[in-house]
Amino acid sequence: MNLIVDIGNTRTKYAVFDDGAWVECGLGLPEVYDLAKTYRENGKEVDLILSSTGAISAEVRERLREVSTFFCEVSSEIPLPIRLGYDTPKTLGVDRIAGCVGGAFLFPGRELLVIDSGTAITYDFVSADGEFRGGNISPGLGIRFRALNEFTASLPLVKCSMEHGYIGKNTHDAILNGVMNGILFEVRGYIDELLRNNPHAVVIITGGGSEYLKKTLKRTVCFEDKLVITGLNRILEYQKTVNYT
């Protein structure tokens, strides 16, 4: 049984895979400990992978080791099922690594553009032979709305909405349309450039902000809400192969 633990800036997510199939998911570190202990008490091996976008205390890391049969932590320095063609791999976020590994696993032998729309929007490119070629980082929805409010004297803070138009007739709508369409046009630009040079490439979009792109882009891209979790599970399987052989 594989237990995926993803500690973010505001919450901890976990997922369980058994024989490659997704079983369940949830939130919270106490729940992770209880779940792992239950599986161990029932005679199951618990192979655990830890991913974090921030610092993790030694206590948390040690407790996760204690409840697992096999333990590993994601970083750019561990063996990976893809190659990292990046000048500064130590600065590469583990979520970006996992998303690209997930994409390469789902679409082997295809050139990929992996777009993760979260707090930031990341655009990452993977070659057909499995090399992470690099990518770009752009402000996400929330950052753009807050920036217009915080760095100007009179513009209000506007919330994102599925219901937006093209030309604003008031300040609220001008901001809403500007941010929502700005992201949409940006994403389209990356997709169009990739497909212009490689019409057989695959575009995968994930992340919480991807909901705002589905209505317009769903016919030309693949939306995978479990992409990062799938990638982490693939990295865990790879680690077990490396360490057990």
Side-chain angles (χ1 to χ4, degrees):
M1 192 271 296
N2 289 352
L3 179 56
I4 318 301
V5 182
D6 185 7
I7 301 178
N9 293 318
T10 58
R11 61 181 184 173
T12 296
K13 298 171 285 187
Y14 68 85
V16 176
F17 286 79
D18 195 8
D19 290 331
W22 178 84
V23 176
E24 61 177 302
C25 64
L27 300 172
L29 264 176
E31 288 78 5
V32 170
Y33 300 139
D34 292 342
L35 183 66
K37 288 179 180 178
T38 299
Y39 275 109
R40 293 291 298 274
E41 289 169 358
N42 290 332
K44 283 263 192 180
E45 292 189 350
V46 177
D47 299 326
L48 189 150
I49 186 168
L50 171 62
S51 171
S52 174
T53 55
I56 305 174
S57 70
E59 180 184 359
V60 168
R61 186 177 284 107
E62 186 56 33
R63 287 193 66 187
L64 291 174
R65 285 183 184 275
E66 290 175 354
V67 297
S68 59
T69 310
F70 175 86
F71 174 89
C72 68
E73 186 171 348
V74 184
S75 76
S76 62
E77 299 176 348
I78 65 172
L80 295 166
I82 62 173
R83 305 186 310 281
L84 299 182
Y86 203 61
D87 291 342
T88 56
K90 290 184 178 181
T91 69
L92 185 58
V94 293
D95 51 344
R96 294 176 67 188
I97 295 173
C100 289
V101 169
F105 174 70
L106 294 173
F107 299 95
R110 302 285 295 276
E111 185 169 339
L112 304 174
L113 168 59
V114 178
I115 302 173
D116 192 338
S117 180
T119 302
I121 305 174
T122 56
Y123 302 88
D124 292 318
F125 297 86
V126 181
S127 66
D129 62 352
E131 180 182 50
F132 175 81
R133 298 172 57 195
N136 296 329
I137 303 173
S138 179
L141 280 169
I143 292 176
R144 297 185 193 212
F145 282 120
R146 290 198 303 273
L148 288 173
N149 172 245
E150 294 175 10
F151 294 104
T152 63
S154 57
L155 292 181
L157 178 61
V158 176
K159 294 183 179 180
C160 56
S161 172
M162 292 286 288
E163 303 299 325
H164 61 277
Y166 183 61
I167 300 176
K169 295 292 187 178
N170 55 65
T171 301
H172 175 279
D173 289 354
I175 294 173
L176 178 64
N177 296 344
V179 171
M180 301 301 292
N181 288 322
I183 286 181
L184 177 61
F185 298 158
E186 178 181 296
V187 171
R188 276 180 173 167
Y190 276 98
I191 294 172
D192 289 347
E193 183 67 19
L194 173 69
L195 297 181
R196 183 180 298 113
N197 296 314
N198 188 344
H200 301 295
V202 175
V203 179
I204 310 171
I205 299 182
T206 191
S210 64
E211 289 296 320
Y212 299 101
L213 301 171
K214 280 186 178 180
K215 184 177 179 181
T216 304
L217 299 174
K218 63 182 180 181
R219 293 183 179 179
T220 57
V221 305
C222 299
F223 285 87
E224 296 285 348
D225 59 347
K226 296 184 179 65
L227 184 67
V228 172
I229 291 294
T230 298
L232 291 173
N233 186 61
R234 174 70 183 114
I235 294 173
L236 176 54
E237 289 292 336
Y238 190 76
Q239 287 302 301
K240 289 191 289 184
T241 299
V242 171
N243 283 276
Y244 288 165
T245 56

